[in-house]
Amino acid sequence: MSSQYGIETDEITLQRYVLSDQKKHPTASGDLTNLLTSLLTAVKAISSAVRKAGLAHIQGIAGRQNVQGEEVKKLDSIGEFILTHPQMKIPKKGSVYSVNEAYASTWSKGMSEYIRTRKFPEEGHSKMSLRYVGSMVADLRMLYESLPMAFLTEQVGGIATTGKGAVLDLVPEKIHSRCPIILGSPDDVNEFLEFLKKYDE
């Protein structure tokens, strides 16, 4: 393992992973790499503000030691993100949902019924926990919010939809184009779509 000045140089960082993966696709334009690099910069800035909070498993041990025998942290001393779960997958079904209920009066019948059955499940079904902190704005800007989140969700086996079709099939008409987004575990999103089909079509 290479190191210089006590800093690991063989760790698979997000930046290194993205650049390496791009080489596997000869026709890649580099646009996605540039977008992910920009997102990485933004995430690092946010991370520096919340580092002490220990949110979302950002802190902790990556399971390796550096050349000095020290445990490598998930967010190391130079603020770089290390790939600790290369085959990460989203569960088929989740136990938590997030939604902005301030807009409940504008929801369709299908949306309302789906949320009602999360709170008050029928016999034999598990109740889901509501977490406001995980919710996103109802209408996200497509280019730099919905599409990146949809891409990441689908890469780990989840589904991202507008309720009418896949988010990744959308083409923004302008830089601030918006779209609705529902994303998460495949069983949950498919069940949501069944509610829309039953009540709204």
Side-chain angles (χ1 to χ4, degrees):
M1 184 175 294
S2 303
S3 71
Q4 185 177 15
Y5 309 114
I7 298 174
E8 296 292 339
T9 58
D10 286 342
E11 295 290 351
I12 302 177
T13 64
L14 178 58
Q15 183 79 19
R16 188 177 287 182
Y17 176 80
V18 169
L19 291 172
S20 172
D21 210 54
Q22 180 182 319
K23 293 177 183 176
K24 298 176 185 176
H25 305 279
T27 60
S29 66
D31 289 345
L32 178 60
T33 299
N34 290 335
L35 176 62
L36 290 175
T37 299
S38 297
L39 286 172
L40 175 61
T41 302
V43 169
K44 284 184 180 182
I46 294 168
S47 174
S48 69
V50 298
R51 188 178 301 174
K52 293 180 182 177
L55 298 175
H57 307 293
I58 288 173
Q59 296 179 336
I61 305 301
R64 300 181 61 184
Q65 291 186 341
N66 63 21
V67 292
Q68 297 172 325
E70 300 165 335
E71 293 289 346
V72 175
K73 308 298 189 293
K74 292 179 182 177
L75 182 61
D76 69 13
S77 60
I78 58 171
E80 184 61 79
F81 286 92
I82 307 299
L83 180 63
T84 58
H85 296 79
Q87 301 299 324
M88 185 179 291
K89 293 294 179 187
I90 197 168
K92 282 192 67 180
K93 184 163 183 59
S95 59
V96 175
Y97 73 99
S98 294
V99 65
N100 187 344
E101 293 200 9
Y103 294 99
S105 63
T106 67
W107 290 347
S108 69
K109 177 71 171 174
M111 175 78 172
S112 298
E113 282 298 303
Y114 179 81
I115 297 302
R116 183 187 65 78
T117 59
R118 301 313 94 180
K119 295 178 180 180
F120 310 106
E122 297 175 0
E123 189 173 339
H125 291 77
S126 300
K127 182 178 179 180
M128 295 181 78
S129 298
L130 171 63
R131 293 289 180 269
Y132 287 102
V133 73
S135 64
M136 299 190 299
V137 181
D139 286 320
L140 294 180
R141 282 171 286 245
M142 191 188 309
L143 185 61
Y144 46 91
E145 293 170 334
S146 294
L147 290 172
M149 289 300 298
F151 175 79
L152 293 174
T153 299
E154 291 196 6
Q155 288 300 299
V156 295
I159 296 175
T161 178
T162 64
K164 296 181 179 179
V167 173
L168 291 180
D169 288 342
L170 299 175
V171 177
E173 295 180 358
K174 52 187 179 180
I175 193 166
H176 294 301
S177 292
R178 293 175 180 263
C179 72
I181 185 168
I182 301 95
L183 50 82
S185 297
D187 286 0
D188 296 321
V189 176
N190 282 325
E191 186 178 6
F192 173 80
L193 292 173
E194 287 297 318
F195 272 76
L196 295 188
K197 185 176 181 180
K198 179 178 179 180
Y199 292 101
D200 297 343
E201 289 185 359

